């Protein structure tokens, strides 16, 4: 097991050089590589990590990849092979996880239908072409029971008071807003057509989340969510809480554990 830690502000060329040097020195640094020509070696890539090592096709094409997204921008489906690679949840830091859990209100005490607070075209140049987040602001801002906008000091409270949390695509198909929703007890509404959820063969995602076409961020979505009966809100919220442990990287896997992201990886 070897951990590569990048220096701040390294260029893609510099990051690639680190990987290439490691593979070129594989007899020294990866003594088991030659047994199966790298088939049994695992590489972990975080957000858009494949783009920082585009030469992977030449150096590690047969190895296993653990990634946070199945569709990497400017790389596409070729960067993810379902027969050997798999998606894992993104990491929510301990402080945010604990704070969100503190504001996780029961269904009956939640006063907001849904919320989204984060980067959008009006705040960040990287999101100027993100029509999903732009439409969220344009369509839902000011509606009854809705809280949307940029960053806010009471973000955790708003999530904990919402029945649903919108999860629009970010600069790529995935976003950590999905995993934050679980700790706030907020039913995630995924607005990213290319988002492949983790552990999809293990978890019953339709029981605790909604996937809505990202091209239809309209009043249809608002009316659909508003029409959800109270019994179903309770049921889905309970399922969200029950499945939050699958995204909690802060608890180590204990003997007999039946719910953990580490167990999810082993099942994959």
């Amino acid at each position: 097991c070897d951990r590569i830690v990048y220096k701040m502000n390294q260029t893609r060329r510099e990051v690639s050089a680190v990987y290439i040097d490691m593979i070129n020195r594989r007899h020294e640094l990866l003594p088991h590589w030659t047994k199966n020509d790298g088939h049994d070696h695992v590489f972990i890539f975080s957000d858009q990590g494949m783009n920082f090592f585009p030469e992977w096709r030449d150096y590690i094409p047969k190895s296993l990849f653990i990634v946070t997204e199945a569709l990497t921008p400017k790389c596409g489906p070729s960067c993810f092979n379902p027969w050997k690679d798999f998606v894992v949840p993104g990491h929510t830091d301990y402080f945010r996880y604990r704070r969100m859990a503190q504001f996780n209100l029961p269904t009956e005490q939640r006063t907001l239908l849904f919320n989204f607070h984060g980067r959008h075209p009006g705040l960040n140049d990287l999101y100027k072409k993100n029509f999903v987040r732009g439409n969220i602001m344009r369509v839902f801002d000011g509606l009854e029971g809705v809280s949307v906008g940029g960053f806010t000091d009471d973000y955790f409270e708003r999530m904990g008071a919402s029945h649903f949390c919108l999860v629009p695509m970010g600069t790529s198909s995935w976003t950590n807003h999905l995993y934050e929703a679980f700790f706030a007890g907020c039913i995630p509404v995924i607005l990213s057509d290319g988002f492949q959820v983790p552990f999809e063969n293990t978890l019953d995602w339709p029981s605790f989340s909604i996937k809505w076409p990202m091209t239809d961020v309209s009043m249809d979505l608002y009316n659909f969510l508003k029409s959800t009966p109270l019994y179903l809100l309770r049921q889905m919220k309970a399922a969200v809480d029950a499945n939050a442990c699958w995204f909690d990287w802060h608890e180590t896997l204990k003997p007999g554990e039946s719910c953990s992201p580490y167990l999810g990886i082993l099942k994959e």
Side-chain angles (χ1 to χ4, degrees), residues 2-268:
D2 189 16
R3 184 183 183 192
I4 299 176
V5 181
Y6 305 140
K7 296 177 182 177
M8 290 293 290
N9 301 319
Q10 276 189 304
T11 65
R12 295 188 180 191
R13 187 182 299 274
E14 291 171 330
V15 172
S16 285
V18 175
Y19 280 104
I20 293 171
D21 178 65
M22 178 179 64
I23 301 303
N24 288 338
R25 297 167 57 199
R26 57 187 175 275
H27 297 293
E28 171 192 351
L29 300 176
L30 304 171
H32 303 290
W33 184 269
T34 55
K35 289 183 179 180
N36 291 295
D37 197 25
H39 277 85
D40 51 4
H41 281 58
V42 180
F43 290 83
I44 302 174
F45 293 99
S46 59
D47 180 29
Q48 302 189 39
M50 306 295 290
N51 286 332
F52 285 87
F53 182 36
E55 297 89 351
W56 67 268
R57 294 180 176 85
D58 301 318
Y59 289 91
I60 57 172
K62 302 173 182 177
S63 298
L64 284 72
F65 300 154
I66 299 178
V67 296
T68 55
E69 57 187 337
L71 188 62
T72 302
K74 300 180 182 178
C75 191
S78 66
C79 281
F80 183 83
N81 294 306
W83 63 271
K84 69 177 182 68
D85 307 327
F86 58 93
V87 175
V88 296
H91 175 268
T92 301
D93 70 66
Y94 187 72
F95 169 76
R96 293 176 70 83
Y97 151 58
R98 296 297 294 173
R99 288 287 289 168
M100 284 185 285
Q102 289 175 1
F103 294 103
N104 183 345
L105 296 176
T107 296
E108 292 74 14
Q109 295 180 25
R110 296 189 174 229
T111 56
L112 292 174
L113 178 61
F114 63 79
N115 85 90
F116 171 76
H117 284 274
R119 296 180 178 87
H120 60 79
L123 285 182
N124 191 296
D125 288 344
L126 291 175
Y127 290 78
K128 278 188 175 180
K129 296 182 180 180
N130 191 314
F131 69 91
V132 184
R133 297 191 180 203
N135 286 341
I136 287 174
M137 301 302 142
R138 179 179 60 83
V139 176
F140 301 134
D141 187 27
L143 291 182
E144 180 184 359
V146 172
S147 178
V148 297
F151 299 106
T152 178
D153 291 338
D154 60 348
Y155 174 64
F156 302 141
E157 292 93 326
R158 296 191 192 204
M159 289 189 70
S162 299
H163 292 295
F164 299 96
C165 285
L166 302 189
V167 182
M169 65 177 295
T171 54
S172 59
S173 60
W174 87 292
T175 170
N176 231 33
H177 282 278
L178 174 62
Y179 309 114
E180 291 182 344
F182 284 92
F183 301 120
C186 189
I187 302 165
V189 180
I190 301 171
L191 301 170
S192 177
D193 296 348
F195 197 152
Q196 180 172 330
V197 294
F199 312 146
E200 60 182 351
N201 296 321
T202 300
L203 305 184
D204 182 17
W205 279 89
S207 71
F208 53 77
S209 69
I210 294 170
K211 191 161 188 181
W212 189 270
M214 65 185 192
T215 54
D216 188 22
V217 177
S218 65
M219 288 301 294
D220 287 343
L221 174 57
Y222 176 82
N223 292 327
F224 174 80
L225 297 179
K226 193 172 182 179
S227 67
T228 308
L230 183 60
Y231 83 88
L232 188 55
L233 289 175
R234 289 197 196 101
Q235 183 177 307
M236 294 188 74
K237 192 259 195 263
V240 167
D241 290 336
N243 284 278
C245 47
W246 288 104
F247 312 107
D248 181 4
W249 292 104
H250 303 287
E251 288 291 335
T252 57
L253 182 60
K254 303 178 180 64
E257 192 78 60
S258 60
C259 180
S260 164
Y262 304 103
L263 179 62
I265 292 174
L266 295 176
K267 284 177 174 288
E268 291 287 321

